[in-house]
Amino acid sequence: MDVKEQVAALQPELVRLRRHFHENPERSWKEFQTQKAIEAYLDELGIPYVESCHSGVIATLKGPHASDRIIGIRADIDALPITELGEAEYKSRNPGTMHACGHDTHITILLGTARMLAALKDQLTVTVRFLFQPAEEEIANSGAAYMKEEPLVKECDRLIALHIWSKIPAGWASLRYGPVMSAADTFDVTVEGKGGHGALPHQTIDPIVAGAEFVTALQSVVSREVNPLEPAVLSVTRFQGGTTSNVIPGEVQLSGTARTFSKELREAYPGILERVAQGVGTATRATLRTVYHFGPPPMINDKACVDTGRRACAKVFDPDKLVDWELQMGGEDFAKYYNPKCLLLLGGGFPEKDRRYPQHSPYFDIDEKALGLGVEYFVQYVLEWEKELKKYVCDVCGYHLLDTSAIVAVYASKH
């Protein structure tokens, strides 16, 4: 089978699928039409599936010669609460909602992979499980936290995924060993004061001033308490309070995000936020309450998974176009899954650099040439993993020998 030729023939269908999903985005935990479209496509391919996690889908492709070895391939399917400002002909038809992170691309690539592998069903020696996961963008309550507990997922020997990346040119990719993306936590801060007339501030405890002090004080944490060689971010991203120009409100609300690759720093963040809040409260007479939400941990690629992926990449990308892209402070809930796993960053950037808008931009878009490369990578990964497994199969009994003492003992007992 010439994978490149088959994928090239599939390209028009990939573009059609991607544009359909881009035009019809749905937010986290509400991806019901997306779910139905995925199921309809799987029905066409004859691949059985079950619904999972409210609005997700898990499909299983198992041929007559498949062993008990299972590989899972995951795609996230939700969009963001962003109004699309670009002028593409396939612009979002859902006001205030946009596929600004490329999950439409991920759905398309996984469906294309399902079509390619379905054609190989009678030849496959492993079972392939396709995970269409909802709510990746819900940091504190993301879909992976639930899908990882599914028995169909837990029994996968390994998981693979990719993330389209608009800053990497199409035709390029990155599959790093070790860390790829940081932990992504969030926090909320309630600042309680004493409201009153804007002309009489001395009769109030101004929560706006206290909130501003908190934001300012927080800036010194990364610059003065964290090793400058350690990537770290503390960003306040929401500051809401007040209703009119001549009233000092009684309360304001702040929210933000905390990022790091360090387990120790991540565990320290809640205490740091509370300490800063208490100090600001003492100085301003306001009461500051902090709530910390742990999101996905750092995304760390498993070495054995990357080894296989690198061999697959060698058949898809030019040698000089597989790079170790810089560590990303963005989070990815794929990190929550228990299974050995790896995440590839797939280049989706246009040739023109000024068109490479970052993820979560209202102008975000991707070069659709990347679609076929994503499908190629997934298909080649499955085929490469099959080759690896054949090295550990006994010619006498067909038993899979793995590098664990329990399996070695069972294997020895059969001879």
Side-chain angles (χ1 to χ4, degrees), residues 17-18 50 55 102 143 146 174 206 340 368:
L17 280 170
R18 186 258 167 167
V50 296
S55 49
Y146 302 92
S174 173
D206 192 338
E368 291 172 330

Side-chain angles (χ1 to χ4, degrees), residues 76-382:
D76 38 13
I77 67 174
D78 56 330
L80 286 156
I82 293 175
T83 297
E84 186 162 9
L85 299 180
E87 294 301 330
E89 62 186 67
Y90 43 86
K91 184 175 179 177
S92 171
R93 297 176 180 175
N94 188 352
T97 304
M98 176 190 176
H99 270 299
C101 201
H103 297 183
D104 53 336
T105 302
H106 302 166
I107 303 166
T108 299
I109 288 172
L110 191 51
L111 288 175
T113 301
R115 178 172 287 281
M116 291 283 293
L117 292 176
L120 292 174
K121 181 179 177 180
D122 291 344
Q123 303 169 41
L124 290 176
T125 57
V126 299
T127 297
V128 185
R129 198 150 277 158
F130 307 98
L131 315 180
F132 296 90
Q133 179 213 300
E136 190 275 337
E137 298 291 355
E138 282 281 335
I139 292 178
N141 186 42
S142 75
Y146 302 92
M147 191 168 274
K148 73 177 183 179
E149 302 294 345
E150 292 275 22
L152 289 173
V153 175
K154 283 185 174 181
E155 68 182 15
C156 292
D157 295 287
R158 61 173 61 181
L159 299 180
I160 59 173
L162 60 77
H163 204 305
I164 194 77
W165 212 252
S166 61
K167 290 297 183 179
I168 303 176
W172 297 60
S174 173
L175 185 59
R176 295 179 59 104
Y177 287 98
V180 180
M181 302 179 84
S182 77
D185 302 333
T186 60
F187 58 86
D188 298 304
V189 182
T190 300
V191 185
E192 290 184 354
K194 178 182 176 184
H197 202 295
L200 303 169
H202 61 292
Q203 296 178 359
T204 73
I205 298 175
D206 192 338
I208 292 179
V209 171
E213 288 286 350
F214 176 82
V215 174
T216 300
L218 206 60
Q219 306 313 301
S220 66
V221 172
V222 172
S223 65
R224 288 297 175 267
E225 296 187 35
V226 178
N227 185 329
L229 299 179
E230 178 72 54
V233 170
L234 279 173
S235 293
V236 175
T237 57
R238 182 178 71 96
F239 194 133
Q240 293 182 328
T243 56
T244 188
S245 59
N246 62 349
V247 176
I248 292 173
E251 180 179 295
V252 300
Q253 302 286 333
L254 286 72
S255 296
T257 188
R259 308 290 173 115
T260 180
F261 287 93
S262 165
K263 180 177 182 291
E264 293 76 17
L265 180 57
R266 190 185 190 207
E267 292 174 348
Y269 271 151
I272 290 172
L273 288 167
E274 180 63 21
R275 169 171 53 82
V276 173
Q278 292 301 317
V280 169
T282 299
T284 63
R285 300 175 296 141
T287 300
L288 284 78
R289 297 192 307 274
T290 65
V291 179
Y292 196 89
H293 309 282
F294 284 98
M299 178 61 222
I300 310 294
N301 278 347
D302 175 82
K303 181 182 182 301
C305 294
V306 173
D307 285 341
T308 309
R310 289 280 182 114
R311 286 191 287 275
C313 285
K315 298 191 172 183
V316 180
F317 305 98
D318 293 339
D320 60 338
K321 293 182 179 177
L322 182 64
V323 297
D324 282 345
W325 196 252
E326 61 190 12
L327 294 175
Q328 297 299 311
M329 297 308 289
E332 169 55 79
D333 81 341
F334 186 56
K336 291 183 178 180
Y337 289 92
Y338 304 118
N339 319 60
K341 56 191 173 292
C342 67
L343 176 76
L344 174 126
L345 296 182
L346 176 67
F350 291 101
E352 307 87 354
K353 288 186 178 181
D354 61 354
R355 294 182 66 192
R356 296 179 195 169
Y357 290 99
Q359 253 80 3
H360 295 207
S361 164
Y363 296 97
F364 176 85
D365 201 357
I366 61 106
D367 187 335
E368 291 172 330
K369 293 176 184 174
L371 297 171
L373 294 172
V375 173
E376 273 192 68
Y377 167 70
F378 280 157
V379 172
Q380 292 289 6
Y381 194 108
V382 172

Side-chain angles (χ1 to χ4, degrees), residues 51-65:
E51 294 184 349
S52 168
C53 305
H54 196 54
S55 49
V57 180
I58 299 176
T60 301
L61 180 65
K62 183 173 184 177
H65 304 295

Side-chain angles (χ1 to χ4, degrees), residues 8-29:
L10 191 61
Q11 180 68 11
E13 182 172 339
L14 296 176
V15 170
R16 178 187 64 78
L17 280 170
R18 186 258 167 167
R19 294 186 179 188
H20 167 78
F21 290 119
H22 193 87
E23 289 177 340
N24 299 279
E26 296 177 295
R27 299 187 192 182
S28 302
W29 298 121

